[in-house]
Amino acid sequence: MSPTHRYGSDLGMNTVERLSAFAQTLRAHAVRMVHRSRASHLGSCLSMADILACLYWNTLRIDPEHPNWQDRDRFILSKGHGAAIIYAALAERGFFPVGELKTYCESGSRLTGHITSGVPGVELSSGSLGHGLPVGCGMALGAKRGNLPFRTVVLCSDGELDEGSNWEAILFAPQHELDNLLLIVDFNKIQSFGRVKEVLDLDPLADKFRAFRWAVREVDGHNMQQLADTFAAVPFEQGRPSVVIAHTVKGKGVSFMEDQLAWHYKTPSAEQVEAAMRELGVDL
Amino acid sequence: MRTAFINQLCTLADTDEHIWLICGDLGYSVLEAFADRFPSRYLNAGVAEQNMTGVAAGLALVGKTVFTYSIANFPIMRCLEQIRNDVCYHNLNVKIVSVGGGLAYGSHGYTHHAVEDLAIMNALPNLIVAAPADPIEARAITTILASHQGPAYLRLGKAGEPVLHAAGTKVELGRAIQVADGSDVTIISIGGMLGTVLKASDELRLQGIHPRILSMPFLTPLDTAAILDAAEETGAILTVEEHGPGGIGTAVAETLAIHGHALAFHPLRLAKSPIKVSGTQEELRSAQGLSVEGIVQAAELLCRRPHSAVIR
């Protein structure tokens, strides 16, 4: 693969339909994993399923056979509580056996409830919020000053933008012209104990990023074509970091979980799992 | 000490192109030496320590050896979670440097007193915790940390500390430096108290008390062997540090207890209560017994009392 700062736009084999199917599979894994382990954070997993499918099957230059390939794109999941679905993405992408997903949160499993390094394909452990973007800035700066070809992509939540550390990094990235950095905000409008609007309203979020000298695009975070086209257009402006504000729905894909704060915490029952599988059109 | 540090870092960076230095908008008249010579590996991250530490972790994840630099508590407390999660958990090559450890910024007030730093840093995994006593230790430890694979905390004094060790003194990771031998009591100090300890040692010798003097720049890894030898060979131990509970006194006491040594022991250190008055470093130290007189008095008491007694 040739070193370039442009994102690949050729969907190739992975048509929009196929990418959307991958997203449904990831959702189904997450539902089963969270049910099996009596874990939580399912709503947060489902809202970013389409983004992850697009990244892992279309955008990111990665090689599951060589997870530590030097020139690989770096992807940091800063909302580390979405662990179930990122593990599902990594397994389905071939970083480790899909069968291992059954061990999620089990005693002795490396698949802990918040994303943890040591799992093949994971670049950074997170769980406490507001850590991913500063680390991503460091990676991007290292690449920029070292003339290295890889790109750095950070996915954060909306609630996470309450953290001051993120705003330190949001100041930092344009200062150092990190146009090899992409931040994606999974803007599902619900944080852990209330709606974003009611807790610390982020609006107007795009204007805030623009004022901080980022190049901003807003997309429907469940529209695969839009996601693929937008990620392919990064960097949106030379010399500026890019941010994609992805408008999403918490719990997307399972009607009774959609836009419900409760599904930040709840574990689905066996009946709910079956209902979810029917809606997702996937049987794992 | 800070001059010894930056000069040594420049020397190392000359041959190791992976070495970076990031400051939190502090380092006037110190860091220019590095910034001018290695502009592509230098960064002022601004007054934003959380991001500074995260950026350092990101750079380390792509193969750099990153020194972060600020004063007193600034490079460790605001960004403690970044140090714990991003740096220590991932065992990254980030070396956190604090200038003005202890009461070096005495008159600046409590916000600038780094008197809990050793205890806090020592609780973290994978982290070397070091506080050199003089420019010779500072230079040697900078070299050790630069080549060590993993994170470290380096507490420095400010500028102008006297050289206390002889040229060529051997400084090794996790090893105490025996500055003088004696059989009546061992005085163990960490960091910048060594000068005062040596003066106290002279006084004690005039009184016929012969202390063993250990400079112990590494809280982790701790030189347990030197502590146990001191217990067995001198029978009494006095620790001296410009720091509150949780530093070298705590570490030595724990070592002695674990190994079943009930001997005369006293940790000479700062009280846990904040210092609310202005003063020079010397004055604020002395007010809590961290003076030649205070050390002499504590050592005398230890030598006089039965080994199982408690000092207060």
Side-chain angles (χ1 to χ4, degrees):
Chain A
M1 274 169 255
S2 63
T4 165
H5 287 282
R6 303 292 300 181
Y7 283 64
S9 57
D10 181 12
L11 287 174
M13 289 288 290
N14 291 326
T15 59
V16 165
E17 290 69 30
R18 277 183 60 121
L19 291 177
S20 295
F22 284 132
Q24 294 298 82
T25 303
L26 300 186
R27 286 188 168 99
H29 275 303
V31 169
R32 288 231 183 264
M33 289 162 76
V34 170
H35 165 71
R36 204 181 292 118
S37 59
R38 297 174 173 277
S40 50
H41 301 134
L42 197 43
S44 317
C45 287
L46 300 186
S47 70
M48 62 174 171
D50 300 292
I51 296 169
L52 289 180
C54 187
L55 289 173
Y56 275 96
W57 277 273
N58 181 243
T59 306
L60 295 174
R61 290 193 302 237
I62 47 175
D63 181 358
E65 299 284 309
H66 304 94
N68 298 319
W69 171 42
Q70 200 173 294
D71 291 343
R72 71 191 182 280
D73 287 340
R74 267 58 168 188
F75 173 69
I76 294 175
L77 181 71
S78 192
K79 44 175 289 191
H81 52 285
I85 199 156
I86 183 80
Y87 292 148
L90 291 169
E92 285 286 352
R93 192 66 176 78
F95 282 92
F96 58 88
V98 171
E100 191 176 339
L101 295 176
K102 284 198 170 67
T103 72
Y104 175 64
C105 285
E106 297 279 312
S107 298
S109 171
R110 60 181 175 174
L111 304 184
T112 58
H114 289 82
I115 187 172
T116 296
S117 69
V119 175
V122 174
E123 302 285 355
L124 185 78
S125 313
S126 67
S128 177
L129 299 171
H131 285 249
L133 188 57
V135 174
C137 283
M139 290 173 162
L141 183 72
K144 189 120 196 128
R145 290 207 182 166
N147 249 339
L148 304 172
F150 68 83
R151 296 107 27 120
T152 302
V153 179
V154 178
L155 175 55
C156 77
S157 67
D158 44 16
E160 188 173 358
L161 288 173
D162 294 354
E163 292 282 5
S165 56
N166 274 328
W167 293 96
E168 293 182 4
I170 291 167
L171 267 173
F172 181 92
Q175 178 72 31
H176 297 280
E177 302 180 354
L178 300 181
D179 54 9
N180 53 352
L181 174 71
L182 167 64
L183 172 66
I184 304 165
V185 181
D186 177 12
F187 198 1
N188 64 30
K189 320 293 187 297
I190 297 179
Q191 51 191 97
S192 61
F193 199 19
R195 289 193 177 268
V196 171
K197 251 198 178 339
E198 294 159 0
V199 181
L200 284 178
D201 194 356
L202 292 171
D203 277 341
L205 186 57
D207 287 344
K208 286 187 175 74
F209 275 104
R210 280 188 203 105
F212 278 72
R213 294 187 283 125
W214 284 62
V216 188
R217 296 227 183 146
E218 297 191 69
V219 299
D220 172 352
H222 303 302
N223 182 321
M224 198 58 79
Q225 188 70 56
Q226 262 190 44
L227 286 170
D229 291 346
T230 306
F231 293 159
V234 170
F236 306 140
E237 283 180 49
Q238 292 297 326
R240 291 192 186 213
S242 303
V243 57
V244 171
I245 298 170
H247 293 278
T248 56
V249 175
K250 193 150 184 154
K252 175 74 178 178
V254 180
S255 58
F256 55 91
M257 295 182 187
E258 286 187 0
D259 202 34
Q260 301 287 321
L261 184 137
W263 287 98
H264 194 81
Y265 303 98
K266 282 172 76 170
T267 300
S269 64
E271 295 72 38
Q272 286 171 322
V273 169
E274 293 322 308
M277 291 301 147
R278 281 194 298 277
E279 287 196 27
L280 293 170
V282 180
D283 191 16
L284 289 175
Chain B
M1 249 189 253
R2 65 187 187 193
T3 312
F5 159 75
I6 197 68
N7 289 343
Q8 188 62 16
L9 193 67
C10 286
T11 303
L12 295 166
D14 253 337
T15 53
D16 183 350
E17 60 179 23
H18 295 104
I19 291 178
W20 278 58
L21 174 64
I22 309 183
C23 76
D25 204 32
L26 287 164
Y28 176 71
S29 81
V30 181
L31 302 190
E32 291 86 346
F34 189 101
D36 293 345
R37 272 170 74 178
F38 311 104
S40 66
R41 291 187 269 147
Y42 167 79
L43 191 66
N44 179 352
V47 192
E49 293 82 8
Q50 295 183 77
N51 185 60
M52 171 177 79
T53 306
V55 164
L59 284 164
L61 280 166
V62 296
K64 314 299 180 193
T65 301
V66 189
F67 284 76
T68 59
Y69 179 103
S70 191
I71 68 166
N73 299 308
F74 304 170
I76 61 161
M77 287 204 185
R78 179 75 63 92
C79 49
L80 180 58
E81 197 181 62
Q82 279 77 14
I83 296 174
R84 179 185 182 271
N85 294 0
D86 304 344
V87 173
C88 292
Y89 181 50
H90 294 85
N91 199 24
L92 298 179
N93 265 336
V94 174
K95 328 290 174 177
I96 302 139
V97 181
S98 170
V99 168
L103 300 167
Y105 289 102
S107 62
H108 291 237
Y110 179 66
T111 57
H112 283 56
H113 296 169
V115 292
E116 303 99 358
D117 59 330
L118 298 177
I120 292 167
M121 290 292 97
N122 208 39
L124 299 179
N126 292 329
L127 193 74
I128 290 176
V129 178
D134 80 336
I136 286 185
E137 286 188 18
R139 205 171 297 131
I141 292 171
T142 301
T143 306
I144 290 169
L145 299 187
S147 61
H148 172 78
Q149 290 298 307
Y153 172 60
L154 177 62
R155 177 212 247 207
L156 297 174
K158 280 173 79 177
E161 289 90 349
V163 171
L164 302 170
H165 293 295
T169 295
K170 207 168 167 188
V171 182
E172 293 174 89
L173 178 63
R175 295 291 296 273
I177 301 161
Q178 184 169 303
V179 186
D181 200 8
S183 54
D184 298 326
V185 59
T186 297
I187 305 178
I188 300 176
S189 70
I190 186 167
M193 286 308 301
L194 181 63
T196 313
V197 166
L198 290 174
K199 285 180 193 154
S201 169
D202 291 343
E203 294 268 326
L204 288 164
R205 277 167 208 279
L206 290 175
Q207 295 175 32
I209 294 174
H210 294 274
R212 174 180 297 182
I213 309 295
L214 295 179
S215 178
M216 198 163 279
F218 294 100
L219 188 53
T220 291
L222 187 67
D223 192 346
T224 308
I227 295 166
L228 296 177
D229 287 350
E232 278 164 25
E233 291 161 19
T234 71
I237 294 181
L238 173 67
T239 58
V240 181
E241 62 196 309
E242 196 173 354
H243 186 272
I248 196 70
T250 301
V252 170
E254 185 181 272
T255 303
L256 295 172
I258 287 170
H259 290 84
H261 284 283
L263 78 167
F265 168 77
H266 181 64
L268 191 54
R269 61 193 180 193
L270 299 169
K272 212 171 180 178
S273 44
I275 298 168
K276 292 189 161 183
V277 294
S278 178
T280 64
Q281 183 174 27
E282 208 64 29
E283 287 164 351
L284 296 180
R285 282 176 172 178
S286 297
Q288 301 202 39
L290 291 168
S291 58
V292 173
E293 299 71 34
I295 294 166
V296 166
Q297 197 184 8
E300 282 173 344
L301 273 171
L302 281 179
C303 291
R304 242 185 273 143
R305 71 191 167 106
H307 285 180
S308 58
V310 173
I311 241 177
R312 54 174 158 170

